[in-house]
Each structure stands twice: as C-alpha cells, then as structure tokens.
Amino acid sequence: FDKVIELNPNYANAYIWKGNSLMFQGKYHEAVQCYEEYITLNPDDANAYSNKGVALHGCGEFEEAMEFYEVAIALQPDHQTAHNNKAEILIQFGRFEEAIEALNQANAAIPNEPSFYHKKGLVQLKLGRDEDALESFSKATERAPEILDAYLQKGILLQDLEKHEEAIKAFDYIIQREPYNFGAVSLKKTSEQSLGKVQNPAGTEGVLQDLNSMVSSLATNLANYSPSGSKIRRSQMKLIAESSAPVGGIGGLMNTILNPIPESNTSKSFY
C-alpha cells in the first residue's frame, strides 16, 4: 500500500485498504490516520466514517467514535454497521434505551438478523425487562440455532419464570451440541430438582454427589459425541449468566470493517 501511495498519493482506495490492514494488526491509531487521508479525498463514503469510528473505538476514544458513526448514518441512514457499532458504545455508556433504538435501526437495515436479537436481549436483561428479553432470545434461537449463548440466556430466564420444562429443553439443546458445557448441565439439574425429577441431597455429601453425577453425565455425553475433527472449545465451558462487561467489544467490531463503496454505487449512499 505504501508503494501505491508513493506512486499516486491521490489514489484514495489505497488509504482505506491500508487502514483496514492496520486494523487487523491492532494498530488503531495508524489506521485512524489512513482513514482520515481517505476521507480527505473521498468525503462522502459512509463506510470510511464507520471504519474510522471502529478505529477510534479501538483507541478507547468512544465519544469521538460515536461522532463518526453518526456521520456514517447521516450519509447512509440504513448503514447497519454504523447503527450496530453505535449501539455498542451506548451500551458501554449505560444508555440502554438508546442502544435498543440503535439495534432496532440496525435490524431495520438487515431484517431478522439473529445477532441483533441476541444483543437486544442482553440489553433488555440489564433493564430488567425479562419477558422482552425472553422474546428476543427466542427470535435469535429461531433464526440462528447455532447461537448457544442465546439458548443459555433463554433457559436461565425460563428458569427464573419457573417454566422449568421449557428451560430443560433449552439446556438440553446446548448439551446435545456441547456436552462439556458445565453451565448448561448444572442449570438443567437445578430445573430438574425444582420439578422433583432428581433429589437434592444436603450437606457436603450432597455436593460430592452432585459433582459425581455431573461428571458421570458429562462422560456419557462425551462418549456419544464425535465431532468431525473439531477440537473442544474450552471457552464454551464458561457460564455467561450475568456479566457487567460490555456486550460487544473491539474483537467483535473487527468483523465490521468495510471496504470503500464502489464508485458506481457511491451515489446510492448519500441519501
């Protein structure tokens, strides 16, 4: 990219491509400079403003990042990426109502995107809107059965609402796909105990029995589980029932880096 820029400093795309490359290397400050150069040459490209927002987000400059997401949205009101990334910052600021509105706008741009329903459900949980969150998680699981965290949150909410039969189904769905998911196994047992399907021994002996039962259950499930060449993802052993951490983060935002809008389509992005 440097050679291209040296030969033709006015070749705008070289700057945004270089910026995108720097982003994936974690060099956010340098990426910001590249996007600035691109915007100077091509000030009407919504993708460039969105990308610069992501770079600033990576630098921890959240308020400034928000400003660039807003510019991207002004240039292209249905810019799904800018709305989604704006929601990420609003969540970090604790502005949950505004975050939900931003997620709604993102979903309007790409209707029925499962990840938006999942994220929306997590925000609704923070607002204490359990029924709304349950609906959002259900929509996420209907559209993307592979989002197991949505099943986990759905199961926990059903458990809290004492809908244990439905909760067990959600936990079973996870266990069938990830037999090593201790969180789902433990939560399923809690619902089974509430329904009287298993006894709940008391004291230290009971705890040991619980652990032995869980290990036995996991061993049985693992024996019947033969993923085709895939390794067990240890990160999935972590239960994410309630977290004070941001819903997203720069790792997820890296998937939102965009290439420049093709010149033939540029006019569509202005209005």
Side-chain angles (χ1 to χ4, degrees), residues 56-104:
L56 289 164
H57 200 146
C59 295
E61 302 290 342
F62 301 124
E63 292 185 2
E64 193 173 354
M66 176 89 79
E67 292 176 6
F68 280 89
Y69 295 145
E70 293 282 10
V71 174
I73 292 167
L75 286 169
Q76 185 180 332
D78 65 347
H79 201 291
Q80 170 265 323
T81 299
H83 284 296
N84 182 56
N85 292 347
K86 175 184 174 182
E88 291 283 351
I89 291 180
L90 289 169
I91 291 167
Q92 291 186 22
F93 286 167
R95 293 158 61 180
F96 300 129
E97 294 287 1
E98 295 173 73
I100 287 176
E101 178 56 30
L103 289 171
N104 287 339

